[in-house]
Amino acid sequence: MLDNFPHIKAYWVMLGIKTAQMALSFGADDIDGTVVHEKIYHDAGSDSPQEISVAQLCRLIEEAGCIPVERDTLYHEVVRDKGTWQPGRAIQGLELVAN
């Protein structure tokens, strides 16, 4: 139904971690970020964690049966090397990405 959208994001801060993981099983291919401090959803009553680490984010993606891939804003794979990074290949829809 949404085949004209290249990526669908499951924002774990808004959905909660378990619902975001479930969204990955139903077609979402992006789970947004490590987030340092989120205020809007928590002021509205969200009980999701305030932040999660990269390792935790990768674990929850893997627990959902997906492979984490770090991306930049334009959906290019991030290639890291000794403290620097550069954009890599363009990420196509249905590949899970983590920002």
Side-chain angles (χ1 to χ4, degrees):
M1 185 162 135
L2 298 175
D3 62 346
N4 57 335
F5 289 83
H7 300 283
I8 298 174
K9 185 180 294 187
Y11 187 42
W12 66 266
V13 173
M14 181 178 70
L15 299 174
I17 289 173
K18 294 295 182 192
T19 304
Q21 285 179 304
M22 180 75 68
L24 297 176
S25 299
F26 284 92
D29 71 338
D30 186 0
I31 188 163
D32 197 24
T34 51
V35 183
V36 176
H37 181 77
E38 190 287 319
K39 186 166 175 56
I40 296 169
Y41 294 108
H42 287 90
D43 282 354
S46 174
D47 62 356
S48 65
Q50 190 59 251
E51 63 184 63
I52 60 175
S53 68
V54 172
Q56 290 170 310
L57 186 61
C58 289
R59 182 181 48 79
L60 75 89
I61 292 167
E62 290 167 348
E63 286 174 357
C66 299
I67 300 168
V69 176
E70 186 177 8
R71 67 156 172 92
D72 66 10
T73 303
L74 300 175
Y75 283 89
H76 291 96
E77 182 176 10
V78 170
V79 178
R80 295 190 178 273
D81 182 35
K82 299 177 184 157
T84 64
W85 72 275
Q86 62 184 7
R89 67 184 174 86
I91 298 172
Q92 303 303 312
L94 302 179
E95 292 181 81
L96 180 69
V97 294
N99 176 5

